[in-house]
Amino acid sequence: RRAIGALVEIATRIPDWILRLDDALAGELMRRAEAYFGQVDAILEAEAAADPALSGMGTTMTLVYLLDRDLLVAHVGDSRAYRYRDGRLERLTQDQTMAQALADAGVISAEDVKSHRQRHILTGALGAKSGAPRVQLGRHDLRDGDRVLVASDGLTELVPDDRIAGILSRESDPSAASAALVAAALDEGGTDNVTVLVADCRLRTEP
C-alpha cells in the first residue's frame, strides 16, 4: 500500500495528456517509470530505516500502462502481467526469483522453476536494501478484444496458466473474471495474498 501510494504521488506531479505514442515518447515514458520505481525504492528504504518495526520491509510491483494501442509494462519481483488474445495467454514479465535466475543460467530447466525450493527467494524487490531495483521494462501492442491480466503470485503459484486462460475465456465480464481467478486460487488453498486485475481493451477502428 505504501509503495502504491508513493508511486501515485510521484507520477501525478507531472501529468501527461497523450493521445498516441511514438517510439521516442514510449522510451521516455518507460525511462520515467524506471525512475519512479527507483524513487519508491528509496522511500521504502528510508521509512524502514526510521522505524525498526518496518525492518525488512519490501514489496514487488508490476505496473501496466494502457495507451491507445500500446501496453507499457514496468516490473520488479514475482507478480506477473499477461496479455490474453484469441484464446492464448502470454506472460509479459519474468519472475525475479532465485529459481528463475538458476534457469536463466542453465543450472535447472524452465520446467523445474515452478517446484524449485528457491522459487520464493526474490532477486528483485522494492525497499530490499539490495541497491537500485532492476526494473524490467516492456512495450507490447494491443488489439481490440485483448485482455490484460496483472496478478500476484498468490494466483500464479496455485493456478496454472492453462486454467487461468480457461477462466478468462469463460468469464466475459472483467470483474467476474477477476473474482473467478481469486476463487480458483482460494480453492487451491489460498496460501498467499491473491491480487488480481483484469482489463478489457476496446479500441476504436483505424480510420
Side-chain angles (χ1 to χ4, degrees):
R1 182 168 62 245
R2 184 65 188 101
I4 292 171
L7 178 67
V8 170
E9 179 183 351
I10 294 165
T12 54
R13 290 175 189 165
I14 312 175
D16 289 310
W17 294 94
I18 303 169
L19 298 180
R20 185 178 295 273
L21 284 181
D22 56 24
D23 289 344
L25 183 54
E28 170 58 27
L29 288 178
M30 287 191 285
R31 285 190 294 272
R32 192 179 299 176
E34 185 175 27
Y36 292 165
F37 273 45
Q39 292 178 58
V40 171
D41 178 67
I43 289 170
L44 296 183
E45 288 189 8
E47 292 190 0
D51 184 350
L54 300 178
S55 178
M57 176 175 66
T59 186
T60 68
M61 181 175 281
T62 300
L63 177 149
V64 295
Y65 186 5
L66 286 70
L67 186 60
D68 195 42
R69 297 179 183 273
D70 286 276
L71 171 64
L72 304 183
V73 179
H75 163 76
V76 171
D78 63 352
S79 294
R80 294 179 180 177
Y82 294 85
R83 180 180 58 194
Y84 179 74
R85 173 185 292 169
D86 298 332
R88 180 172 176 266
L89 187 67
E90 179 184 3
R91 189 179 357 153
L92 305 179
T93 55
Q94 185 176 43
D95 294 346
Q96 294 181 347
T97 64
M98 185 62 71
Q100 185 61 57
L102 292 172
D104 293 342
V107 176
I108 63 174
S109 70
E111 187 63 26
D112 288 338
V113 170
K114 66 182 68 175
S115 59
H116 196 275
R117 59 187 176 83
Q118 292 184 315
R119 67 187 183 279
H120 298 302
I121 300 178
L122 293 173
T123 58
L126 298 179
K129 293 185 178 179
S130 55
R134 179 172 55 89
V135 184
Q136 178 190 339
L137 301 170
R139 180 186 181 188
H140 309 274
D141 72 289
L142 289 173
R143 299 178 189 170
D144 186 60
D146 284 355
R147 293 191 123 170
V148 176
L149 165 67
V150 183
S152 67
D153 66 335
L155 172 71
T156 57
E157 175 75 11
L158 296 176
V159 184
D161 283 3
D162 59 348
R163 189 175 173 198
I164 292 174
I167 292 171
L168 292 175
S169 174
R170 183 177 72 246
E171 301 289 350
S172 60
D173 178 74
S175 295
S178 296
L181 289 167
V182 171
L186 296 180
D187 287 345
E188 294 298 324
T191 55
D192 199 354
N193 162 65
V194 186
T195 301
V196 177
L197 181 149
V198 176
D200 284 350
C201 302
R202 298 290 179 255
L203 304 178
R204 65 181 182 274
T205 303
E206 292 284 7

